[in-house]
Amino acid sequence: MCGIVGAVSTRNIVPILVQGLQRLEYRGYDSCGVAVHEASLGGTGAGGLRRARSTARVAELAAQVEHEHLQGATGIAHTRWATHGAPAVSNAHPHASHGPGAAPTDITRAGHVALVHNGIIENYEALRARLQSRGYQFASQTDTEVIAHLIDSLYDGDLFAAVRAATQELRGAYAIAVIHKDEPHRVVGARAGSPLVLGVGQGEHFLASDAMALAGVTDQIVYLEEGDLVDLQLGRYWIADRTGRPLAPEQRPVRTVQAHSGAAELGPYRHYMQKEIFEQPRAIADTLDGIEAVVPELFDGAHTAAWRVFKEIDRVLILACGTSYYSGCTARYWLEEMAGIPTQVEVASEYRYRTSVPDARTLVVAISQSGETADTLAALRHAQGLGMRHTLTICNVATSAMVRECELAYVTRAGVEIGVASTKAFTTQLAGLFLLTLALAQGKGRITPEQEAAHLTAMRHLPVALQAVLALEPQLIGWAEEFAKKENALFLGRGLHYPIALEGALKLKEISYIHAEAYPAGELKHGPLALVTSSMPVVAVAPHDALLEKLKSNLQEVRARGGVLYVLADADTHIETSDGIHVIRMPEHYGQLSPILHVVPLQLLAYHTACARGTDVDKPRNLAKSVTVE
């Protein structure tokens, strides 16, 4: 992980490779690199494989490539997010094999095989030991280098055959792109558990981990499926399944995909995260555009009618990770209260590894911004393997694996989200989940037409309500100046707003590196109260709901211990600013949809705290945008 670009052409493709990496930068990375076959441009240079790698940004890699006059018509490139081995040039991709008994004498030479890889190889230690016994020398700490040496050991004049044989021995997740010194006009790719797409051009072909990397190069995209291998040559390509059986074109059709460039304009904003926070009114409006009534058809899949599925289910299982998990936790309150449907929310990375009790009458809902989240996809497939065939995804990418693999889908319209810390994807997920709740409540006879109409009216008003919340930014900057001096924070919420407190704590720790925890406010006296001192800011989400008086009592518990409160309160809660209590008034109470409004000030608080601390807001340390490995 994290980004792959590859190409076979008749022109110098280095600028395309570098540009592709730049379009994937928003996903987060700690090193990058490119490798080309010099002979692919008609014999320039020494004619072998050359590479350049860097632990700096892609812009620095571009300067390095230009300085070293790296050119080629066949090549691969990569941005890496460290899994095995620290961020270092020796661990950066592309990795190479120089054959048994040979150690690289020139780090710019890539030997026999050069390879880039997203994913994690689980049996790499056993493979490494076997290859070392055969004389292969390892220059990195990565699992990826094992694949390069393994392919070299299996190579007998046909790169595709060698890659196919190698994949039979790999255990884990991978998307790979490989070139060989003896085949100057060929790139071979394979995928299992990590995304990979083929871009079809005029006499040239491309590989990428995301169609966005190819924006402006080609809009003709083939989505490779689990276990696929692909062979790119000049003017032709072919795809095979994991056994090597060629697949017909209709089995992997070419789709026209209008991928948007990750290099969107910042406009008046300092960071993409700030821009995306302020894009939420538009994102919600776009997500709800054209919806005149709540009907099951909003969730129809390519071959499945939602109304049939909704009739057959009486439970919901939500699978998600990170921010998407918190949107699922919020939806649980909606689904159980409004639709009367028992709902279970599982952290996807845990669900597939525990013994659970399957129920065929369960609707499995997978939530993901990218639709490629490895843990969520694996959990989804696990649920399907247990016999739970009714599946639905709430996702922001219509062409993603999750949309393709689920019976039903609701595709949000947040647009490209570049900041690693999710904002507009979260609020549009909540909008999609609320519509799902209304549809299921309708099917169960739990909602009247008048109630449904009132909820839709409230949803249509959300963009205006969000604009009013965004106007609170100056007050939140004042809070952020105080938070920037702290190293710990506590977030409190009750009921529907407990998941929002969790999301607020996650945002703060993600981008400001302040340790933050969230609790249901009623749990304070069961342990967390021991942490409360005058140096521990406590954020409380305080809507005017049925739990308000209970929450007020919890806030008094904090004040009695000298804790300093920062309260996001609805106008009629009668919580006033006083010594040790800072209050920001929300513009209006929004009932069941209140979580969508209350999360926005928490996003702004995290953002401005991070700015005050001088962190890299859009690319926080150690994190990646799209988590495509376990």
Side-chain angles (χ1 to χ4, degrees):
M1 130 178 222
C2 189
I4 287 174
V5 191
V8 174
S9 180
T10 56
R11 56 175 167 156
N12 177 27
I13 46 78
V14 172
I16 292 173
L17 298 178
V18 172
Q19 184 182 62
L21 295 187
Q22 289 172 329
R23 288 181 172 145
L24 297 177
E25 278 191 288
Y26 75 99
R27 291 173 175 262
Y29 63 101
D30 48 52
S31 60
C32 50
V34 60
V36 297
H37 201 306
E38 288 186 311
S40 59
L41 264 182
T44 61
L49 304 183
R50 285 188 66 206
R51 64 180 168 175
R53 299 181 291 172
S54 173
T55 55
R57 293 299 185 198
V58 174
E60 281 75 13
L61 176 69
Q64 181 181 337
V65 163
E66 184 175 357
H67 179 264
E68 296 176 4
H69 305 292
L70 203 66
Q71 293 188 356
T74 298
I76 52 179
H78 192 264
T79 53
R80 175 181 186 254
W81 184 81
T83 52
H84 295 75
V89 171
S90 61
N91 291 325
H93 298 217
H95 284 284
S97 177
H98 294 255
T105 56
D106 180 352
I107 61 171
T108 67
R109 290 289 164 192
H112 303 163
V113 172
L115 172 144
V116 293
H117 165 228
N118 284 352
I120 292 177
I121 304 304
E122 295 172 359
N123 61 333
Y124 82 99
E125 290 177 323
L127 292 171
R128 184 182 181 113
R130 192 180 86 199
L131 289 161
Q132 284 177 321
S133 71
R134 295 182 182 178
Y136 283 92
Q137 297 187 36
F138 285 77
S140 78
Q141 302 166 296
T142 68
D143 54 336
T144 299
E145 192 179 2
V146 165
I147 313 174
H149 289 314
L150 180 61
I151 291 171
D152 181 78
S153 72
L154 296 167
Y155 185 78
D156 188 24
D158 185 343
L159 182 58
F160 183 86
V163 171
R164 178 181 163 244
T167 59
Q168 302 301 306
E169 299 193 46
L170 301 179
R171 302 291 176 267
Y174 57 82
I176 58 175
V178 193
I179 57 178
H180 195 281
K181 72 175 183 65
D182 292 340
E183 301 184 59
H185 302 292
R186 194 178 201 185
V187 175
V188 175
R191 65 147 297 189
S194 288
L196 194 65
V197 304
L198 161 68
V200 180
Q202 296 294 321
E204 57 185 8
H205 301 305
F206 308 90
L207 281 180
S209 51
D210 188 321
M212 182 183 293
L214 305 179
V217 177
T218 180
D219 60 359
Q220 300 300 290
I221 301 296
V222 178
Y223 289 92
L224 301 177
E225 300 293 340
E226 192 73 1
D228 281 359
L229 298 105
V230 60
D231 190 346
L232 277 63
Q233 299 182 35
L234 278 179
R236 66 180 292 268
Y237 70 86
W238 63 286
I239 302 169
D241 65 17
R242 65 173 72 247
T243 68
R245 180 179 63 88
L247 297 171
E250 60 269 18
Q251 292 177 278
R252 298 292 183 268
V254 178
R255 306 172 190 268
T256 301
V257 175
Q258 299 300 326
H260 298 285
S261 169
E265 292 296 326
L266 271 173
Y269 301 102
R270 289 177 62 188
H271 300 92
Y272 286 110
M273 182 179 177
Q274 185 187 29
K275 178 175 184 282
E276 287 154 10
I277 290 171
F278 277 82
E279 285 176 341
Q280 286 175 113
R282 179 204 54 76
I284 291 286
D286 288 349
T287 295
L288 301 176
D289 185 45
I291 297 175
E292 299 299 329
V294 177
V295 291
E297 287 77 13
L298 293 173
F299 303 91
D300 279 357
H303 307 290
T304 308
W307 65 267
R308 290 196 189 96
V309 174
F310 290 174
K311 278 178 173 287
E312 294 181 16
I313 64 103
D314 51 29
R315 304 183 69 84
V316 171
L317 168 64
I318 297 175
L319 303 172
C321 300
T323 287
S324 296
Y325 172 74
Y326 297 143
S327 72
C329 290
T330 307
R332 178 185 179 183
Y333 287 91
W334 289 333
L335 287 161
E336 294 198 338
E337 180 180 343
M338 299 172 64
I341 296 178
T343 301
Q344 181 180 355
V345 188
E346 295 268 1
V347 174
S349 58
E350 289 293 313
Y351 172 71
R352 67 182 291 217
Y353 293 114
R354 73 173 186 85
T355 302
S356 57
V357 181
D359 182 347
R361 293 185 63 83
T362 296
L363 176 64
V364 179
V365 179
I367 309 173
S368 168
Q369 187 281 135
S370 67
E372 305 288 352
T373 308
D375 288 318
T376 307
L377 275 170
L380 170 67
R381 292 163 184 160
H382 176 67
Q384 291 169 324
L386 293 175
M388 292 188 281
R389 60 191 177 87
H390 295 315
T391 57
L392 181 150
T393 184
I394 305 288
C395 180
N396 192 41
V397 182
T399 54
S400 65
M402 216 164 283
V403 172
R404 297 197 304 274
E405 294 187 25
C406 283
E407 266 190 312
L408 309 174
Y410 190 82
V411 178
T412 60
R413 298 175 185 171
V416 175
E417 191 177 64
I418 294 174
V420 166
S422 182
T423 52
K424 62 179 179 174
F426 177 73
T427 48
T428 53
Q429 284 171 358
L430 290 177
L433 288 162
F434 194 77
L435 286 172
L436 176 63
T437 300
L438 296 179
L440 293 174
Q442 182 190 81
K444 299 295 182 184
R446 301 261 308 188
I447 189 172
T448 67
E450 293 76 19
Q451 289 171 325
E452 177 189 315
H455 283 306
L456 278 178
T457 298
M459 293 192 81
R460 293 189 190 104
H461 182 62
L462 276 171
V464 174
L466 284 166
Q467 290 287 9
V469 175
L470 290 166
L472 299 173
E473 185 179 34
Q475 297 176 62
L476 290 155
I477 292 172
W479 281 15
E481 290 170 355
E482 294 303 314
F483 272 69
K485 305 169 189 174
K486 308 299 183 181
E487 293 301 327
N488 300 280
L490 196 60
F491 287 69
L492 303 177
R494 297 204 72 150
L496 261 177
H497 296 82
Y498 168 48
I500 299 307
L502 287 164
E503 172 63 7
L506 176 62
K507 283 291 153 284
L508 189 67
K509 72 182 79 172
E510 274 184 305
I511 61 171
S512 75
Y513 315 144
I514 293 172
H515 171 249
E517 292 187 68
Y519 283 92
E523 282 293 290
L524 268 178
K525 62 178 68 71
H526 297 287
L529 207 52
L531 295 171
V532 173
T533 68
S534 59
S535 62
M536 167 80 83
V538 179
V539 180
V541 182
H544 193 181
D545 59 14
L547 290 169
L548 176 61
E549 295 307 318
K550 296 287 187 185
L551 178 64
K552 285 182 177 180
S553 297
N554 303 140
L555 301 187
Q556 289 303 318
E557 292 169 355
V558 173
R559 283 302 299 133
R561 275 82 180 170
V564 179
L565 285 163
Y566 294 81
V567 186
L568 294 168
D570 284 350
D572 48 0
T573 55
H574 304 295
I575 301 174
E576 305 296 336
T577 296
S578 61
D579 182 41
I581 303 180
H582 307 275
V583 179
I584 290 180
R585 299 267 173 224
M586 296 292 288
E588 57 184 304
H589 176 55
Y590 225 68
Q592 292 283 6
L593 290 166
S594 174
I596 296 177
L597 300 186
H598 270 90
V599 75
V600 175
L602 300 180
Q603 295 169 349
L604 287 168
L605 175 62
Y607 170 73
H608 286 291
T609 302
C611 289
R613 288 169 69 97
T615 64
D616 191 345
V617 172
D618 288 331
K619 302 182 183 72
R621 68 189 183 202
N622 304 332
L623 299 180
K625 180 64 180 175
S626 183
V627 183
T628 56
V629 299
E630 282 195 73

